[in-house]
Amino acid sequence: MCGIAGCWQRSSPGSAGELEELIHRMTAALVHRGPDDGGVFTQPDLGLALGHRRLSILDLSPLGHQPMTSKSGRFTLVYNGEVYNHEVLRGELESSGSVFRGRSDTETLVEAVDAWGLTATLERCIGMFALGLWDHRERTLTLARDRVGIKPVYFGWSQGTFLFASELKSLRTHPAFSASINRDAVALLMQHNYVPAPHSIYTGIRKLPAGGLVTLRAETPPGGETIEQWWNLRDVIRTAKQNPFIGNRDAAVEAVGALLRDSVRLRMLSDVPLGAFLSGGIDSTTVVAAMQAESTQPVSTFTVGFRETAYDEAPAARQIANHLGTSHTEFYVSPEEALATIPQLPTIFDEPFADSSQIPTLLVCQAARQHVTVCLSGDGGDELFGGYSRYGLMERVYRQNIAWLPAPLRHPLAGILRSTLGQLGGTLARKASTYSRFLDAVDRRTMYARFNTHWKDPLDIVPEARLPETVISATNNWPADGTFLEEMMGIDTASYLPDDILTKVDRTSMRLGLEVRVPLLDHRLLELAWSLPLDYRVNGGVTKWPLRVLASRSVPAELLDRPKQGFGLPIDTWLRGPLRDWAENLLSEERLSREGLFRPQPIREKWQEHLSGRSDWHYYLWD
């Protein structure tokens, strides 16, 4: 796992020495992602530079050094990630006459590109990655990202220079970079609690979407590059549903189990110490059980506990670890220790990111990094197997309160609710406002898109902004058709998963030089899940059915059948207590007015309502 960066200064190439200095500066900002080694490649006549920071996981020798050039000399690669099936790919290449110097997956990848081409190679890869590839013959620079967006890459133009990197902090070191805040992205942040791809907080800088690929040629004008999809979730879901799984529910569980075990086995390949996060939930329990079955030694597992009982998953994780026989470590964190991480968050995330579970995620990564360099996690199970409680809630709301109303009556009724109940104020007015927004939705997808937001009207608080289209707002092009549940699972896989969950895990773990692998997001498992009948995934209202059955073979059912807690902290009470002065300073009317990003009045109103205890606005205020 690593950090990558690059620049293409076409208007003013600079000397070899100047280019090297610039790219070294860019990679120095990524040392936390790759503390073990670093390297650069420059082509001064073109003003091109590629840089890399390495966290050594496979082949710890210098033979894994990047940037790496193929034996033919045609391709130079910088790459962040892991290709878990690289030994199989290497075997295919060796059977065709390729000879390798080392054992790294980087060498396998660059030689595969040389032999088969980039897209054909990516389609064969099982893994997570973001890469930059320079084709010396065609003089093209290509960026690509893995299928579901586990690894990040930002790119864009600034003052005639093309820049890319794993994190925004690297781009900021380049003298051509202009840190102009994108007000539209601020509005999106207020709406979603993250900035959804392809947008970023900076004007002119984009995130490469999951499964995306962009190629830049010498004649490509600034902003003229086109993002293509080498892998498309919508196409994959459609193909899976057109080729449904043949077999009963028990056979489906066995198929999921076999593929999960293979996915876990591949992700346990490492030349450094390896462990797993264990929260006590279904997903992480299933992953750790599969790991323990593959291991002759107790697997190292890690949990962070909190003194606030409502947020403490450590006791459940401890019981599960005992049943699985893992070597379990739990770290209890005081409120003071959790609060102390907050000043680090802007440096870790670079652009505003307001999922408050970023704090416990950082803490569990800190705990694990003291013992291992690689951790497996259970992320992805909710999206693939219908695990979020909001899915059932939204289905009930739509069925019971909206679907039966004739469409022409919904909008007038929404207006009546707002004008009459809204005058009463308080909780009733807020509920009426929420329900009226649902009624105003033209269809169930729009209803879910509106429900799954924080600030409902972000343009009311972000002046001079507009709301650009995202994969969420483009409801006519969601990745999954079919039942409402399938539609919700599909859109969460396309946006919430890469832009929130995987972003949170990547930034917090890589800040500490910890690689996190996600076996439930193996693309083969994703394809299998979408080929299953829906009632094989959610059986009689019981979510994540295959994973529950698999986990119950190793852990008593009573330990698995407990309410989902999530991975949060009591931000609501902290804002009224230990964080009150800090928040008051940031949300003061004088400061909001001076900085000019937000209209103070609606924010001050919610802040006062929250402090009084009349309302809980902590999600809005944390944004």
Side-chain angles (χ1 to χ4, degrees), residues 15 51 54 64 74-75 126 131 175 253 256 271 309 321 369 391 486 571 580 592:
S15 67
R54 184 184 183 197
R74 178 176 174 181
F75 294 100
I126 300 172
L131 60 85
V253 170
V256 170
D271 292 333
T309 304
R369 188 63 179 93
Y391 294 155
E486 289 173 305
I571 299 295
R580 179 169 179 166
L592 291 173

Side-chain angles (χ1 to χ4, degrees), residues 265-315:
R265 179 185 59 79
L266 287 176
R267 284 158 181 80
M268 291 178 71
L269 181 65
S270 174
D271 292 333
V272 294
L274 175 142
F277 300 139
L278 182 60
S279 69
I282 297 290
D283 303 336
S284 65
T285 299
T286 309
V287 168
V288 172
M291 291 177 71
Q292 194 59 72
E294 291 288 331
S295 177
T296 58
Q297 302 293 325
V299 171
S300 297
T301 53
F302 304 93
T303 300
V304 165
F306 301 96
R307 300 301 175 192
E308 293 89 345
T309 304
Y311 297 88
D312 187 17
E313 295 185 325

Side-chain angles (χ1 to χ4, degrees), residues 127-193:
M128 56 180 182
F129 46 81
L131 60 85
L133 182 74
W134 175 246
D135 185 335
H136 293 255
R137 188 177 74 190
E138 300 296 327
R139 294 198 165 192
T140 58
L141 175 65
T142 301
L143 308 178
R145 192 178 181 196
D146 64 64
R147 295 172 176 85
V148 293
I150 302 172
K151 292 292 105 182
V153 62
Y154 292 85
F155 71 96
W157 293 86
S158 189
Q159 300 184 54
T161 294
F162 182 79
L163 302 166
F164 74 90
S166 299
E167 298 182 15
L168 287 169
K169 59 175 60 68
S170 177
L171 303 186
R172 288 180 62 101
T173 67
H174 195 284
F177 184 76
S178 175
S180 173
I181 295 295
N182 180 354
R183 287 181 176 271
D184 297 348
V186 175
L188 289 173
L189 167 75
M190 295 296 106
Q191 189 174 54
H192 298 290
N193 94 341

Side-chain angles (χ1 to χ4, degrees), residues 109-400:
L109 186 56
V110 74
E111 295 302 336
V113 171
D114 205 327
W116 304 326
L118 178 59
T119 300
T121 296
L122 297 180
E123 289 170 348
R124 299 188 192 202
C125 288
I126 300 172
M128 56 180 182
F129 46 81
L131 60 85
L133 182 74
W134 175 246
D135 185 335
H136 293 255
R137 188 177 74 190
E138 300 296 327
R139 294 198 165 192
T140 58
L141 175 65
T142 301
L143 308 178
R145 192 178 181 196
D146 64 64
R147 295 172 176 85
V148 293
I150 302 172
K151 292 292 105 182
V153 62
Y154 292 85
F155 71 96
W157 293 86
S158 189
Q159 300 184 54
T161 294
F162 182 79
L163 302 166
F164 74 90
S166 299
E167 298 182 15
L168 287 169
K169 59 175 60 68
S170 177
L171 303 186
R172 288 180 62 101
T173 67
H174 195 284
F177 184 76
S178 175
S180 173
I181 295 295
N182 180 354
R183 287 181 176 271
D184 297 348
V186 175
L188 289 173
L189 167 75
M190 295 296 106
Q191 189 174 54
H192 298 290
N193 94 341
Y194 56 84
V195 180
H199 310 284
S200 91
I201 196 63
Y202 292 122
T203 303
I205 302 298
R206 290 184 280 174
K207 301 182 183 81
L208 188 61
L213 181 149
V214 61
T215 298
L216 193 69
R217 295 174 170 80
E219 64 273 15
T220 304
E225 65 280 357
T226 301
I227 297 175
E228 304 173 65
Q229 292 296 130
W230 71 268
W231 186 88
N232 187 290
L233 178 62
R234 183 177 180 83
D235 292 343
V236 168
I237 292 174
R238 184 186 296 115
T239 299
K241 295 181 73 172
Q242 289 172 349
N243 298 275
F245 178 82
I246 305 299
N248 61 21
R249 188 176 282 110
D250 291 338
V253 170
E254 295 308 316
V256 170
L259 194 47
L260 177 60
R261 287 191 296 274
D262 187 62
S263 174
V264 166
R265 179 185 59 79
L266 287 176
R267 284 158 181 80
M268 291 178 71
L269 181 65
S270 174
D271 292 333
V272 294
L274 175 142
F277 300 139
L278 182 60
S279 69
I282 297 290
D283 303 336
S284 65
T285 299
T286 309
V287 168
V288 172
M291 291 177 71
Q292 194 59 72
E294 291 288 331
S295 177
T296 58
Q297 302 293 325
V299 171
S300 297
T301 53
F302 304 93
T303 300
V304 165
F306 301 96
R307 300 301 175 192
E308 293 89 345
T309 304
Y311 297 88
D312 187 17
E313 295 185 325
R318 187 187 315 129
Q319 290 179 295
I320 288 171
N322 289 338
H323 277 279
L324 294 176
T326 71
S327 175
H328 189 60
T329 304
E330 62 183 40
F331 293 78
Y332 265 86
V333 180
S334 68
E336 292 75 21
E337 289 172 305
L339 291 168
T341 68
I342 292 174
Q344 303 175 41
L345 298 178
T347 304
I348 293 171
F349 286 91
D350 290 340
E351 66 181 354
F353 180 84
D355 182 341
S356 61
S357 65
Q358 61 201 151
I359 296 173
T361 304
L362 176 62
L363 293 168
V364 77
C365 288
Q366 287 177 342
R369 188 63 179 93
Q370 296 177 37
H371 301 268
V372 299
T373 311
V374 176
C375 256
L376 273 62
S377 84
D379 294 307
D382 289 308
E383 289 80 5
L384 294 189
F385 296 98
Y388 290 122
S389 59
R390 62 176 176 268
Y391 294 155
L393 171 63
M394 283 293 96
E395 286 190 308
R396 289 193 300 275
V397 168
Y398 187 74
R399 183 179 64 254
Q400 297 174 5

Side-chain angles (χ1 to χ4, degrees), residues 391-422:
Y391 294 155
L393 171 63
M394 283 293 96
E395 286 190 308
R396 289 193 300 275
V397 168
Y398 187 74
R399 183 179 64 254
Q400 297 174 5
N401 299 300
I402 297 174
W404 60 271
L405 274 171
L409 295 181
R410 294 177 191 171
H411 180 70
L413 181 57
I416 293 171
L417 278 172
R418 279 193 294 266
S419 62
T420 56
L421 297 181

